[in-house]
Amino acid sequence: MNLRSFVFVWTALFLFGGGGKAQDAGSPVRETAEVVLVEVPVRVVDREGHPVRNLSANDFELYDDGKKQPIVGFDVIDLAEKASRPAGAEEIHPAARRHFLILFDLSFARPKSILAARRAAKEFVLSGMGDGDFAAVATYSVEKGVRLLVTFSGDRGQLARAIDTLGISASREFAGDPLSFAFDLSSLVIGTDVSRGTGRSEAAAAELIDTLQTIASLTRARADEYARGRVRQLIQSFGGLGRALDAVEGRKDVIYLSEGFASRLLVGTRYNEQEQNWLLYGETWKVDSDKRFGSSPLRAELDEMTALFRRSDCVIHAVDIGGIRPETDLNSENESTFWGPKESENSLFEIASGTGGEVLRNENDFHAGLQALITRTSLVYVLAFRPEKTGKEGKFHELKVKVKPRGARLSARAGYYERRDFKLFSPRERSLTAADIIANEIAVSDIPARVLALPFPLQVDGKIRAIVPVLVEIPGDRFLAGQSGPRAAAELYVYANDSENRLRDFFVQSVGIDLAINRAKLEKGSLKYAGQISLPPGDYRLRVLVRNSQTGRAGLTVQALHVPTFADGQPYLVQPIFLEPANGILLQGRGRAPADGAAADDPLLGAAVQDFVPTALPTVHPGSPSRVSLVAYHFGSDRGEGTLKMGAQVLSDNGRPLGDGEIALVGRSPVEANGRQVLLVSFTPANLAPGRYALRVFLQDASTGHGGHASAPFVVR
């Protein structure tokens, strides 16, 4: 993946000495970390392709390496019914969620065909996908192989942006997201609707087609000499993709948009008259046997590639994007590269049929075909069984599923792999695995990271916007479990999606740690990383994934985030910030620069005092005081403590008041020009049983009567 350093920096931070500051510097697949259940998504359709409903577990038989298995779990996910339910009423099972990979073939298709497919694909992601569906966008070329532009996501805006340019427009601002959720930075914070706009797309069409024509001309120049080698490159590149896609849970439907290649390269062709004469006179050395019978090694590679897709629970649906054309459509544009419809359809059939897919043939508008695919895939039965592990890492187990109703056609995953060591994962597998956990919010808790994200008002050029510091707190002992060697690396992924599941901002960081110096600190404390995102007012879902780059141990934290509308001069009290003695390692990072270029100090870390730092989920002890920072905006002046009135309540975990909280003012900062003031208070809980609680603080400006309150959770041990 090509990250542009001038837009985003993927840094490695190596810690040397004390708690010092960090220094900036510019396969087959897994089932689960520890296999307990294997889930098998199954689709069943009738002869007309309509889903067969109302089946039970008794209607299925499941075999693992030929041995019948008891079905211990059974679930029915009807996506057609879910489409009519209120949003968020019920989460879709990750194994049953539809995943569409839209794959554009830039080498085996003409520019005009690619542009037509681009328009249809964009319409598909904007209106054809269901609300619970995920899609990804990728391109293939002989020169660059398979490039994933946007990973599996429900963000239609990012998907549409990727389809608009296919990642080859020089004017695009690269987002630099290693997981590929973000494709275009311009759509993140500024609030523009990227999903339906056509102006930018059409304006870039001339540039896009010019680039495509350049690719096509290079393709034609080398086609005759490298035809078979080019097909081999396609097969090998697709094989790597199929291997990596097993990292994504559930069935993956690959919509392969291409015009295909000469199928004779695989299956051969008839002898012409001259070749027949050579054979008649015994001049067999002049006859190209590969041309007559096809290439057996190439055919074997294709069979291996399609087997990888089946094993990864992927189906390729090949779409002939050449449109309706006569058999003699061999003009100067495509005579050396593209073939008549029979040749191209046959090659697309060879690719699709090996995975259990089909070919949409000669359709100028394949909207109907894609809608039929949506219908066929709307009902999923999920069967679960307990596997018998052999202890052979990476061993493949063949699965076979049978269904009792006669005439029903069944589609299910071909098998599964026993657990592999994370160290053996390819970079693409690692990225897809992380993206799958985040997108589906898969519960992962090997590293139980805690997150504190608080919105602060920030005034830039007379306008107020929100800056949201995000503190990620990683328990050192859990992070180091299974760690070997003198260095460790922590991966941090932070994404904020709005209520419509559009990505609005993110930051990603890799933190390298010298364990020879810092192991003891981590074992006794934690690694804290402070980053920032910028968001407009609204409600968000914050997803934070932490992973050890060596062991693969990870933890996902998901929480709601509300960003208020900050009015100039209106009082605002930030959530109370509990402080604890510095213990471990604290790093302040820099994410992407804000769109307006305004850099801001971290207001969360600015609330720290002396040797005390913020903590995401504080632990307090009855009778022992804890330090808490209150950041207040526009609550009067600093002349005299009597201008502010302060009180507190202790709340139960469900929000029920339990009594007054004992707090006392310890110190206060001067009021800054923007109305900001930091108050340091002491909070002493009394007579609280172990458990989780919240501290609610009230603040009132006695001179104006304006007041506010805010709450923060804490734990009693």
Side-chain angles (χ1 to χ4, degrees):
M1 189 170 297
N2 183 22
L3 304 186
R4 301 300 180 93
S5 60
F6 58 87
V7 173
F8 181 85
V9 182
W10 173 264
T11 59
L13 305 181
F14 295 97
L15 312 183
F16 299 100
K21 295 219 175 187
Q23 184 175 3
D24 291 324
S27 68
V29 286
R30 62 100 176 114
E31 177 57 32
T32 59
E34 183 65 28
V35 177
V36 177
L37 290 178
V38 172
E39 295 177 324
V40 185
V42 180
R43 297 170 181 168
V44 184
V45 298
D46 60 21
R47 290 185 175 89
E48 287 73 36
H50 302 129
V52 178
R53 291 179 163 80
N54 302 318
L55 299 181
S56 67
N58 294 329
D59 293 310
F60 295 92
E61 291 181 355
L62 177 61
Y63 297 84
D64 182 358
D65 285 338
K67 183 177 180 181
K68 187 175 181 180
Q69 301 292 322
I71 298 175
V72 299
F74 182 78
D75 197 7
V76 183
I77 293 88
D78 194 332
L79 299 178
E81 290 184 0
K82 288 182 180 295
S84 62
R85 299 180 186 178
E90 183 180 351
E91 290 297 325
I92 297 175
H93 194 299
R97 187 187 295 275
R98 286 185 296 208
H99 295 76
F100 299 104
L101 173 57
I102 303 172
L103 177 57
F104 289 86
D105 189 336
L106 304 184
S107 288
F108 292 96
R110 295 167 294 178
K112 66 179 183 181
S113 299
I114 294 172
L115 289 181
R118 166 177 158 267
R119 289 190 291 269
K122 184 174 178 179
E123 183 62 27
F124 173 72
V125 301
L126 293 178
S127 60
M129 291 169 48
D131 289 338
D133 294 339
F134 284 168
V137 179
T139 62
Y140 169 76
S141 67
V142 170
E143 293 76 19
K144 296 183 179 180
V146 175
R147 295 180 63 212
L148 185 65
L149 304 182
V150 177
T151 193
F152 291 102
S153 166
D155 189 333
R156 299 170 192 261
Q158 294 296 326
L159 295 167
R161 287 292 200 198
I163 292 171
D164 274 344
T165 67
L166 299 182
I168 60 178
S169 172
S171 62
R172 183 175 72 82
E173 182 184 8
F174 286 85
D177 176 9
L179 297 191
S180 299
F181 283 108
F183 177 80
D184 189 342
L185 287 178
S186 66
S187 64
L188 295 185
V189 178
I190 61 177
T192 55
D193 183 4
V194 301
S195 61
R196 295 263 175 202
T198 59
R200 175 175 175 177
S201 173
E202 297 307 321
E207 177 186 359
L208 179 61
I209 196 168
D210 181 65
T211 307
L212 290 172
Q213 287 173 341
T214 301
I215 294 174
S217 65
L218 293 173
T219 296
R220 289 194 297 272
R222 297 181 296 189
D224 291 340
E225 183 178 358
Y226 295 116
R228 189 168 287 111
R230 286 159 46 80
V231 174
R232 176 169 287 109
Q233 284 180 275
L234 180 144
I235 291 173
Q236 292 174 350
S237 187
F238 275 32
L241 174 65
R243 186 185 302 271
L245 281 174
D246 192 74
V248 179
E249 190 170 352
R251 168 65 55 91
K252 282 75 63 178
D253 292 287
V254 179
I255 302 174
Y256 175 42
L257 305 169
S258 177
E259 291 189 75
F261 52 84
S263 58
R264 60 180 170 78
L265 299 174
L266 289 173
V267 299
T269 187
R270 296 180 180 180
Y271 291 133
N272 59 32
E273 182 177 353
Q274 185 180 42
E275 290 170 331
Q276 290 175 348
N277 288 333
W278 286 338
L279 291 173
L280 181 64
Y281 292 103
E283 298 175 313
T284 56
W285 65 88
K286 294 183 178 181
V287 179
D288 185 350
S289 60
D290 281 349
K291 180 179 178 182
R292 174 64 181 90
F293 299 106
S295 171
S296 297
L298 197 62
R299 180 73 210 200
E301 289 183 35
L302 177 66
D303 291 342
E304 181 181 354
M305 180 268 283
T306 55
L308 283 173
F309 273 83
R310 292 195 307 272
R311 291 183 173 192
S312 296
D313 203 11
C314 296
V315 178
I316 297 178
H317 307 280
V319 180
D320 180 1
I321 62 175
I324 298 176
R325 58 189 177 190
E327 293 279 350
T328 57
D329 183 18
L330 295 174
N331 54 45
S332 60
E333 178 186 8
N334 66 354
E335 59 184 358
S336 64
T337 304
F338 304 101
W339 295 266
K342 292 298 181 185
E343 281 268 41
S344 62
E345 286 175 13
N346 289 342
S347 64
L348 293 176
F349 175 80
E350 294 291 339
I351 292 175
S353 64
T355 68
E358 58 183 307
V359 178
L360 301 181
R361 294 179 172 88
N362 290 334
E363 295 289 345
N364 281 326
D365 179 8
F366 52 87
H367 177 76
L370 294 179
Q371 287 304 308
L373 175 62
I374 290 288
T375 300
R376 287 196 302 273
T377 59
S378 62
L379 182 68
V380 181
Y381 298 95
V382 181
L383 317 180
F385 73 98
R386 292 189 177 89
E388 296 179 4
K389 294 188 294 181
T390 65
K392 298 178 180 179
E393 192 173 87
K395 174 179 169 54
F396 181 75
H397 293 256
E398 183 176 356
L399 292 176
K400 187 172 184 180
V401 182
K402 297 181 179 180
V403 63
K404 293 181 180 178
R406 291 186 176 181
R409 292 184 295 159
L410 179 146
S411 176
R413 66 184 303 177
Y416 67 97
Y417 293 94
E418 289 195 27
R419 179 181 180 271
R420 278 194 314 145
D421 194 312
F422 182 75
K423 296 176 183 178
L424 302 178
F425 281 29
S426 69
R428 180 174 285 165
E429 285 177 286
R430 293 183 179 219
S431 294
L432 285 172
T433 300
D436 192 40
I437 292 172
I438 293 169
N440 284 291
E441 298 186 5
I442 298 173
V444 179
S445 57
D446 293 334
I447 304 175
R450 296 170 175 174
V451 177
L452 179 62
L454 303 178
F456 288 79
L458 179 66
Q459 192 168 34
V460 179
D461 296 331
K463 296 181 180 180
I464 299 178
R465 63 178 174 86
I467 184 170
V468 184
V470 181
L471 180 68
V472 183
E473 190 172 331
I474 305 170
D477 56 343
R478 299 290 290 272
F479 173 77
L480 292 174
Q483 174 73 45
S484 61
R487 292 186 182 275
E491 303 169 13
L492 292 89
Y493 305 93
V494 178
Y495 296 89
N497 288 64
D498 64 17
S499 56
E500 297 181 3
N501 200 28
R502 296 178 301 177
L503 178 63
R504 303 313 298 264
D505 204 2
F506 74 99
F507 71 80
V508 177
Q509 193 70 57
S510 178
V511 179
I513 306 168
D514 186 342
L515 294 180
I517 299 173
N518 296 286
R519 178 181 287 274
K521 287 187 176 184
L522 282 180
E523 289 175 341
K524 296 177 181 178
S526 62
L527 170 64
K528 293 182 179 181
Y529 183 86
Q532 291 182 12
I533 54 179
S534 182
L535 299 170
D539 293 307
Y540 299 88
R541 197 162 182 83
L542 191 67
R543 300 177 175 97
V544 179
L545 177 68
V546 173
R547 186 167 66 181
N548 184 309
S549 296
Q550 183 189 83
T551 66
R553 290 170 56 85
L556 178 70
T557 301
V558 181
Q559 63 187 45
L561 173 64
H562 175 72
V563 177
T565 301
F566 296 110
D568 190 16
Q570 292 297 314
Y572 174 68
L573 180 62
V574 180
Q575 172 183 313
I577 302 168
F578 279 80
L579 305 176
E580 65 178 10
N583 183 20
I585 301 170
L586 172 63
L587 301 175
Q588 181 176 358
R590 284 195 170 193
R592 295 179 298 99
D596 52 24
D601 294 333
D602 192 311
L604 178 59
L605 295 185
V609 293
Q610 296 177 348
D611 294 328
F612 287 78
V613 296
T615 179
L617 184 60
T619 298
V620 303
H621 303 278
S624 298
S626 295
R627 296 199 178 190
V628 181
S629 275
L630 304 178
V631 182
Y633 290 83
H634 309 297
F635 274 91
S637 70
D638 58 346
R639 293 190 297 270
E641 297 182 4
T643 59
L644 289 179
K645 293 184 178 180
M646 186 167 49
Q649 278 184 327
V650 174
L651 309 178
S652 67
D653 193 28
N654 60 12
R656 182 171 56 89
L658 299 178
D660 293 340
E662 183 181 336
I663 62 172
L665 183 65
V666 175
R668 60 195 298 178
S669 70
V671 177
E672 301 172 11
N674 61 357
R676 178 177 182 267
Q677 185 178 29
V678 179
L679 308 175
L680 181 63
V681 302
S682 174
F683 166 59
T684 306
N687 302 322
L688 291 178
R692 183 166 175 147
Y693 301 87
L695 172 66
R696 176 186 288 168
V697 176
F698 301 89
L699 198 63
Q700 185 178 36
D701 183 346
S703 62
T704 64
H706 293 157
H709 62 84
S711 303
F714 66 91
V715 173
V716 173
R717 296 295 186 190

